[in-house]
Amino acid sequence: MTLPVPDADAAASSARLAARIADEIAGAGGWIPFSRYMELALYAPGLGYYSGGARKFGGAGDFVTAPEISPLFAQALAAQVAQVMAASAPRILEAGAGSGALAADLLLELERRGALAERYDILELSGALRARQRETIARSAPHLAARVAWLDTLPASFSGAVVANELLDALPVNLVAWRENGLFERVVGLENDTFAWHERPAAGALLAVSRGLTFVQPPYVSEINLAARAWIAEWGRILERGALLLIDYGFPQREYYHPQRSDGTLMCHYRHHAHGDPFWLPGLNDITAHVDFTAMAEAGFDAGLDVLGYTSQAQFLLNCGLPRLLESAQAGDAADYAALASGAQKLISPAEMGELFKLLALGRKIDEPLLGFVSGDRTHAL
Ligand SMILES: C[S@@+](CC[C@H](N)C(=O)[O-])C[C@H]1O[C@@H](n2cnc3c(N)ncnc32)[C@H](O)[C@@H]1O
């Protein structure tokens, strides 16, 4: 495939990041885990994909996420967030807030429903995105901006609603190769000054988790997201009362590690082109992997959280009243309405985001059934 050519500044920034990663590989004795490569490629200060200044989301960026497609996403999600807050505390924590569109639209819709959060905390690693989030909220919901605060780390304790849209897919994954002669970790080394794959015997937590996937038959390569498991386990310590609403693309484990997916789900995005080479121009591409939702639910369960619901994005948004929101939308004219209807269609169509994207709710001390999961076809089992 021919990918668009980056401009000179972007290419120079990527070359600086590649040199920084190569130094780390040399300093580490010749290789680093893929998870470390991905962490640097996405989050190295000033140079990583999310920490650099380039525009990632939306039509002019590399990919489009649900909050960018339509405000109806935030408006429907607001119904679920309001219920969780009513059963816990009037606070929201959003992790990985992207452009800030979800924060602004959620706050506006909660205000309309008379269910405003007293505080809206954003946990965001990227300084460039924090600045963009601040601008978005100041522009779209200036009267609510004082409720929003940015956190540097997860809080020690929290009650309320935690929202993370497409966060888990952006956490660095480890890669495992199932071979006839054992289990190996795929790591990143250097050959002739370019990045190259190497394989090392898998060890520690990675070996334990991959051994547990007894149904995987070699030869097979896929990802294991230890960072996402750890992130959820952390919430087991933090969450006093409330729920995590985790939205992402992915599958339950049996589907994730399906024999036909023998190269895994790792994917790179560059200006709306998807490709499979994470070593191509590091820092300019998004690198992502689908989410193993069974593993996420197990991590929550093991950390003492209840699995409150799991369903497709389509079913969740329908349960949260998306059709009614579309019907009552204040569309200025027919063209506005057509744009809203087409956005809603993208969010729920099985051919677009409706089936691939899932909602997982993990919580503590929430006794009532969650609105977004009340009806469904039961085929979305973990
Ligand atoms: C794929 S983007 C999704 C952005 C946004 N939620 C949306 O839907 O448009 C992933 C986001 O997670 C942030 N992020 C990644 N790791 C994080 C972490 N450990 N804590 C907080 N934010 C993180 C990234 O900087 C980015 O804003």
Side-chain angles (χ1 to χ4, degrees), residues 43 50 57 65 67 96-98 123-126 129 165-167 170-171:
Y43 305 109
Y50 284 108
F57 316 100
T65 58
L123 179 68
E124 173 57 63
L125 287 190
S126 156
L129 286 178
N165 188 58
E166 293 204 31
L167 168 82
L171 297 183

Side-chain angles (χ1 to χ4, degrees), residues 21 42 48 77 80 157 175 196 235 240 242 263 277 315 368-369:
I21 299 174
L42 296 184
L77 184 62
Q80 182 59 88
S157 67
L175 293 184
W235 276 104
E240 289 181 347
D263 291 328
D277 181 5
Q315 192 61 57
E368 57 199 276

